[in-house]
Amino acid sequence: MFELLEPICLVTYLADEPNEELAALGHRTYWDGYFAARAAPLGRVPAQVVHAAFYSFAEGEAARHIPGAWETVPPEESFAAWRRGSAAAVRRIVGEELATSPGLARAADLTAAAATGAPTQGRVLYAGWRSLPVPTEPVTRLWHAATMLREHRGDGHVAALVGARIGGTEAHVLSALRMGVHPPESFGRLHHLPRARLAQVMAGLRERGLIDAGGRFTEAGRATAQRIEDLTDELAAAPYDTLSPAELDELTALLEPVTARMVAAGSR
């Protein structure tokens, strides 16, 4: 389900329409719009809460945008624009015939049933999304429900990282190594950080025996990263218990043509 739904969610971060909608509201940078919209379901919380919920951003990054971006544009307006642009991007990529098909509408309904069917305890971002009304228009409904499931999974991933004592910046190092990026400090979510901070993170991972002197996985590091991914998958399963096996099979079949077009377009 992650592989089927993730390409639908990625338009939010890769396609032009969401950024254009946010810029039209007055957000000056991509990251102003990102923090303003993605954090909006939490309500007007302090930057420290956004930092804790998002987990993987460096210290101070959330505070550069929250609450300032919300003072530029109210959070609910930013979220509405984010969602509107994301749905427009999905609609453009899949084409009008598929976007208006009964199959996509049914997929949206099944995805929404899963997305609204899991417990919220310990899942801060997911709980915020559960407080929002689910749209009725099928494409918007599908994007909204898919992204709700993405945040549910993300909350579980954070729990797995905390349990493994892997901090947010350390998590990016592990992700880079899993993707074959070397040196991991060159990874897009890391390369802009101060060198002293990166050196500290790498030294800590070496001291724990998770990476070697060359900045590559040790066996223990690879096993730790795999345990985190396995637990993330396990913790992401609960929403799909809402659906019967037959409904899961139906949802898989209905999503396949949608996802195929998203993947072919690179979710852009």
Side-chain angles (χ1 to χ4, degrees), residues 158-173:
V158 168
L161 289 167
V162 172
R165 296 185 297 118
I166 298 293
T169 305
E170 293 172 322
H172 287 314
V173 174

Side-chain angles (χ1 to χ4, degrees), residues 125-188:
L125 277 168
Y126 174 65
W129 277 75
R130 284 286 298 274
S131 71
L132 304 175
V134 179
T136 56
E137 192 279 318
V139 173
T140 311
R141 184 177 181 85
L142 178 61
W143 174 85
H144 184 104
T147 306
M148 191 186 306
L149 287 166
R150 189 178 200 265
E151 296 292 24
H152 177 277
R153 180 184 178 89
D155 285 337
H157 188 56
V158 168
L161 289 167
V162 172
R165 296 185 297 118
I166 298 293
T169 305
E170 293 172 322
H172 287 314
V173 174
L174 300 190
S175 293
L177 291 174
R178 282 176 61 85
M179 291 186 287
V181 176
H182 193 269
E185 297 98 319
S186 66
F187 184 47

Side-chain angles (χ1 to χ4, degrees), residues 25-264:
L25 292 180
H27 291 299
R28 294 174 296 174
T29 69
Y30 171 90
W31 290 110
D32 276 346
Y34 171 93
F35 276 95
R38 187 180 172 215
L42 295 173
R44 289 180 179 267
V45 296
Q48 295 93 323
V49 176
V50 176
H51 176 73
F54 286 11
Y55 194 73
S56 62
F57 284 87
E59 196 70 39
E61 286 189 338
R64 284 202 287 272
H65 306 280
I66 299 297
W70 286 342
E71 293 167 354
T72 302
V73 183
E76 57 273 13
E77 291 185 23
S78 294
F79 181 85
W82 201 50
R83 183 171 62 187
R84 186 168 58 248
S86 298
V90 174
R91 195 174 293 110
R92 168 180 56 80
I93 293 168
V94 303
E96 190 65 21
E97 183 176 354
L98 184 53
T100 58
S101 68
L104 186 140
R106 174 63 173 162
D109 287 345
L110 290 171
T111 304
T116 56
T120 59
Q121 290 91 334
R123 297 183 186 266
V124 174
L125 277 168
Y126 174 65
W129 277 75
R130 284 286 298 274
S131 71
L132 304 175
V134 179
T136 56
E137 192 279 318
V139 173
T140 311
R141 184 177 181 85
L142 178 61
W143 174 85
H144 184 104
T147 306
M148 191 186 306
L149 287 166
R150 189 178 200 265
E151 296 292 24
H152 177 277
R153 180 184 178 89
D155 285 337
H157 188 56
V158 168
L161 289 167
V162 172
R165 296 185 297 118
I166 298 293
T169 305
E170 293 172 322
H172 287 314
V173 174
L174 300 190
S175 293
L177 291 174
R178 282 176 61 85
M179 291 186 287
V181 176
H182 193 269
E185 297 98 319
S186 66
F187 184 47
R189 296 294 299 275
L190 293 170
H191 69 79
H192 65 289
L193 298 179
R195 290 186 178 182
R197 171 60 180 151
L198 285 175
Q200 180 186 41
V201 169
M202 298 298 286
L205 291 171
R206 280 194 295 272
E207 289 170 9
R208 293 176 60 185
L210 301 180
I211 62 173
D212 62 22
R216 299 184 185 275
F217 268 139
T218 61
E219 286 303 314
R222 193 179 305 279
T224 296
Q226 189 59 53
R227 281 197 301 273
I228 291 168
E229 295 305 313
D230 290 345
L231 181 55
T232 299
D233 284 344
E234 182 180 340
L235 294 175
Y240 303 103
D241 292 339
T242 305
L243 305 179
S244 69
E247 287 173 328
L248 276 172
D249 288 343
E250 181 186 8
L251 179 57
T252 298
L254 292 171
L255 285 174
E256 283 175 348
V258 176
T259 301
R261 294 193 185 182
M262 303 302 298
V263 171

